[in-house]
């Protein structure tokens, strides 16, 4: 078996939240493997820039709006005839103590991190089930497996645990009809936002590094090949898996 099993030539891939950070790196890797990438992004400036960079296209998308998700997926299928890969990356975190967290804060995190992932899975799943093939990749987090320290983030942790179980549940429902569903759980990753924590919350950052066996955060580019593996025929017998890329954080 050669490297051709990693090729995504001729395939159409949607990446939500693909305008920056991890999402952009995933889009770059999928494009490099041959996929035509559609950037689904709420921010038109970063979305259009990302689409231009990867030679794909931009679709304005608020993933918390289930009708908008259905519309974008429908238009992708209408324009290209198929949707082969759908990567659900859009997300947020709020570092708030649980005892003082307002209802609206909890709901906003669960709304984007879990509800919206289901909306995207549901619509991508419909398209892929109709064509009898496809790969869905949900971006979860190691926070769905452990409780982070020292920062408080109960809503984020709960939402990402939900993404992991949603992934397993959908994989079981759809495996016999040609659709694979997997998740990626990154550890601390050196996006622009996380790097700022090194200055604003140095005690958090130093704790994270000390608790990571590899002694560093991930580079966003290190997650791209993981998505290519799960999107491609190289992982043709992989479904319902949660691939953890955390530098060993969860082994201790």
């Amino acid at each position: 078996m050669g490297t051709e099993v990693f090729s995504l030539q001729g395939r159409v891939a949607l990446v939500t939240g693909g305008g920056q950070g991890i999402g952009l790196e995933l889009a770059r890797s999928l494009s490099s493997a041959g996929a035509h990438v559609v950037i689904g992004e709420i921010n038109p400036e970063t979305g259009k820039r990302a689409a231009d960079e990867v030679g794909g296209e931009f679709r304005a998308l608020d993933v918390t709006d289930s009708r908008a998700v259905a519309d974008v997926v429908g238009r992708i299928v209408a324009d290209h005839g198929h949707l082969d890969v759908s990567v659900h990356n859009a997300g947020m975190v709020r570092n708030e103590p649980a005892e003082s967290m307002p209802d609206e804060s909890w709901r906003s995190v669960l709304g984007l991190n879990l509800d919206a992932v289901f909306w995207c899975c549901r619509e991508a799943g419909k398209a892929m089930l109709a064509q009898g093939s496809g790969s869905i990749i949900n971006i979860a987090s190691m926070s769905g497996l452990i409780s982070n320290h020292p920062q408080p983030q109960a809503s984020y942790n709960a939402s990402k645990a939900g993404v992991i179980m949603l992934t397993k549940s959908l994989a079981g429902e759809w495996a016999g009809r040609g659709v694979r569903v997997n998740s990626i759980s990154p550890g601390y990753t050196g996006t622009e936002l996380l790097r700022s924590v090194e200055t604003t919350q140095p005690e958090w950052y130093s704790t994270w590094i000390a608790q990571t066996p590899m002694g560093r955060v991930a580079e966003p580019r290190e997650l791209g090949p993981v998505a290519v593996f799960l999107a491609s025929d190289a992982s043709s017998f992989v479904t319902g898996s949660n691939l953890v890329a955390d530098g060993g954080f969860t082994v201790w």
Side-chain angles (χ1 to χ4, degrees):
M1 184 179 293
T3 58
E4 67 276 2
V5 295
F6 292 95
S7 174
L8 298 176
Q9 197 67 41
R11 301 187 192 185
V12 176
L14 169 65
V15 180
T16 72
Q20 59 187 342
I22 291 173
L24 177 55
E25 290 296 339
L26 302 180
R28 286 169 174 158
S29 291
L30 294 171
S31 177
S32 294
H36 175 76
V37 176
V38 180
I39 302 290
E41 174 63 61
I42 195 170
N43 184 327
E45 182 179 351
T46 60
K48 290 174 183 177
R49 185 166 60 239
D52 289 344
E53 179 188 332
V54 303
E57 60 187 277
F58 164 68
R59 304 281 177 137
L61 178 59
D62 176 0
V63 293
T64 65
D65 181 343
S66 62
R67 292 184 181 179
V69 174
D71 180 63
V72 166
V73 171
R75 285 190 286 118
I76 291 172
V77 174
D79 291 346
H80 299 283
H82 50 100
L83 174 63
D84 306 291
V85 180
S86 195
V87 182
H88 308 143
N89 167 76
M92 67 183 295
V93 63
R94 291 186 184 276
N95 298 122
E96 298 173 321
E99 71 272 17
S100 57
M101 185 184 301
D103 291 357
E104 56 271 22
S105 179
W106 171 269
R107 289 170 180 154
S108 67
V109 173
L110 271 290
L112 179 57
N113 290 5
L114 184 55
D115 292 350
V117 170
F118 176 68
W119 311 150
C120 292
C121 285
R122 182 179 61 189
E123 300 309 320
K126 289 178 186 177
M128 293 176 180
L129 289 167
Q131 66 197 26
S133 64
S135 174
I136 291 173
I137 303 169
N138 295 323
I139 305 305
S141 170
M142 68 174 186
S143 301
L145 302 170
I146 51 92
S147 178
N148 301 67
H149 175 78
Q151 73 276 24
Q153 52 182 55
S155 57
Y156 183 82
N157 298 351
S159 69
K160 293 301 185 178
V163 169
I164 294 169
M165 186 50 67
L166 173 64
T167 297
K168 292 179 180 293
S169 300
L170 298 180
E173 288 191 37
W174 297 342
R177 291 183 281 169
V179 179
R180 297 186 297 110
V181 189
N182 294 287
S183 58
I184 301 173
S185 281
Y188 293 110
T189 303
T191 60
E192 185 175 330
L193 179 62
L194 185 135
R195 292 293 186 186
S196 69
V197 176
E198 189 173 5
T199 301
T200 60
Q201 298 281 0
E203 69 282 3
W204 290 9
Y205 191 87
S206 61
T207 300
W208 300 343
I209 297 301
Q211 292 178 342
T212 304
M214 291 185 71
R216 64 177 179 87
V217 298
E219 294 298 327
R221 60 178 173 76
E222 293 179 293
L223 300 175
V226 181
V228 171
F229 168 68
L230 292 176
S232 72
D233 293 342
S235 61
S236 57
F237 200 57
V238 179
T239 196
S241 290
N242 178 47
L243 203 161
V244 182
D246 66 354
F249 192 98
T250 56
V251 305
W252 284 346

